Amino acid sequence: MMMKKFLTSMLFVSIILNTGCKKFLEEKSNQRLMIPENLSQLQTILDNFNTMNNNYSSAAEVSTDDFFLTNNDYQALEYDQDRGTYSWASNNLFLPGDQGNGWSWTYSSVYASNSVMERLALIARTPANAATWDNIKAQALIFKAARLLDAAGTWTNAYDPATAANDLGLPLPVSTNFNEKQTRATLEDTYQAVIRYLREGIATAANQPLSTFRPGKAAGYGLLARTYLNKGEFAQARIYADSCLRLQNQLIDYNALDPSAEYPISATNPETIFSTIFSVTASLLFNTPKISPTLLNSYEANDLRRTLFFRDNGDGTFSFKGNYTGEFSLLCGVATDEMYLIRAEAAIRANDIQEGLNDLNTLLAARYRRGTFTSLANLTQQAALARVLLERRKELLFRGLRWTDIKRLNKLGANITLTRNINGQQYTLPPNSPRFALPLPEDVISLSGMTQNPQ
């Protein structure tokens, strides 16, 4: 019986996730083995790492200013998509067949969450299965919200309360019916959907999930904190970062790490709350991305991140090795260091300066060589805010957050202009450019008739 259940579950997952949801859903078959019938099978769908946790879009990370490509590395990129993303090309429409399609991966995960929700509604919730039933619902909701939040950071403009009700958002499918015409919701509705899914998921999520691959309450709170930070609602961001840290607040003591290791930070580190990974395209692979000299020089001599995060390439350039995965893949999920930084920034913006600095001091004491860090105190609000934003960039690079940070900070007047020099030609992305909302894939536009992002 157990083998039958296992094969049933794996067959369904294989059909849904490998041959395509649409083809599966359009099959008119009476084979009951093709439809999940119990909670164990639904959990197996949610435990499919490649669909639920892996392949978050890396297009936004490729677009950031934390690294550069040499002319040789740029020319060596196999796909036009990678070159176009790196140079912020207005005609970079992610052609079918190019390496990686973050949009497709995003909505494969969204539809998997929807399929679980649909089947879960057909399974009676009883006193005997209530805890499992509730936890599966929570995971599906939080997984879905995480994907949509990530997609909003990539394919929409920065949130502006004055325009969000009219700005282009994302499609928000709520079922697995591929025949339903999908249109883009407003940006306001997109963020409200993310918030609604997270709040509903948190209500029944596990306090201590079995692994970081499954989202629990802390993950939900952390994603809510990130959502409200992106919206510029700092009081709410502070509340939810605090809620997250009340459940999980451990930091890695970087003094205990080996800077000579290929990847010094283990995947089982105590900071990671929710493990999601973005796709590593050629632009981000191994030593191809070279760290911005300006960013590299911002690390002080006793800042252990200087040796733990970066690998000397031997030619005057440095590459990144501070991955929170213990390997070449890159974490974009929730971790405690991000929560300390969100709570610190929000407190400082509320003029609770020393409270914010206390969080920053807690983080930095675990990042500097033991005995060398002097706690920050008696700073003006402007100086404290500048320091927390600097530390946010230094701490969270290659975590899928910088692109959204640039967009939200430019809305607040940061005036960050991005510049690339490629084969003697300069490319510039000015603050608040419409190109900060990356173009949707061309096949999505042609098949759905959705409105393309203006470039």
Side-chain angles (χ1 to χ4, degrees), residues 436-449:
F436 274 105
L438 299 185
L440 275 59
E442 187 176 64
D443 57 339
V444 171
I445 297 299
S446 61
L447 290 171
S448 68

Side-chain angles (χ1 to χ4, degrees), residues 112-155:
S113 292
N114 286 345
S115 72
V116 168
M117 295 292 292
E118 286 182 354
R119 299 307 304 176
L120 185 65
L122 301 178
I123 299 174
R125 182 182 182 275
T126 67
N129 72 9
T132 302
W133 198 100
D134 289 346
N135 188 26
I136 288 173
K137 179 181 178 181
Q139 290 176 64
L141 288 165
I142 296 173
F143 270 125
K144 183 176 180 178
R147 286 286 185 171
L148 292 174
L149 179 60
D150 177 73
T154 302
W155 290 292

Side-chain angles (χ1 to χ4, degrees), residues 393-435:
R393 187 179 181 193
K394 290 164 60 181
E395 179 72 17
L396 303 177
L397 72 167
F398 290 91
R399 298 269 283 275
L401 299 171
R402 175 61 178 168
W403 186 248
T404 305
D405 275 353
I406 294 170
K407 292 198 287 189
R408 73 177 179 90
L409 293 172
N410 275 343
K411 278 291 182 183
L412 298 173
N415 201 35
I416 301 169
T417 297
L418 305 186
T419 303
R420 304 271 203 221
N421 290 292
I422 305 172
N423 294 324
Q425 182 175 351
Q426 186 175 82
Y427 296 79
T428 301
L429 191 64
N432 303 312
S433 166
R435 283 183 288 151

Side-chain angles (χ1 to χ4, degrees), residues 165-226:
N166 296 310
D167 289 340
L168 288 169
L170 300 170
L172 302 173
V174 295
S175 76
T176 55
N177 183 357
F178 280 83
N179 293 318
E180 291 182 357
K181 182 176 175 59
Q182 293 298 323
T183 59
R184 298 183 69 174
T186 67
L187 189 57
E188 182 64 45
D189 287 344
T190 298
Y191 271 97
Q192 289 305 317
V194 170
I195 291 167
R196 183 170 65 253
Y197 296 146
L198 288 173
R199 286 180 171 170
E200 188 177 353
I202 287 168
T204 61
N207 282 331
Q208 294 182 322
L210 290 180
S211 85
T212 60
F213 298 136
R214 294 183 181 180
K217 282 190 190 298
Y221 284 134
L223 289 167
L224 266 180
R226 188 185 290 180

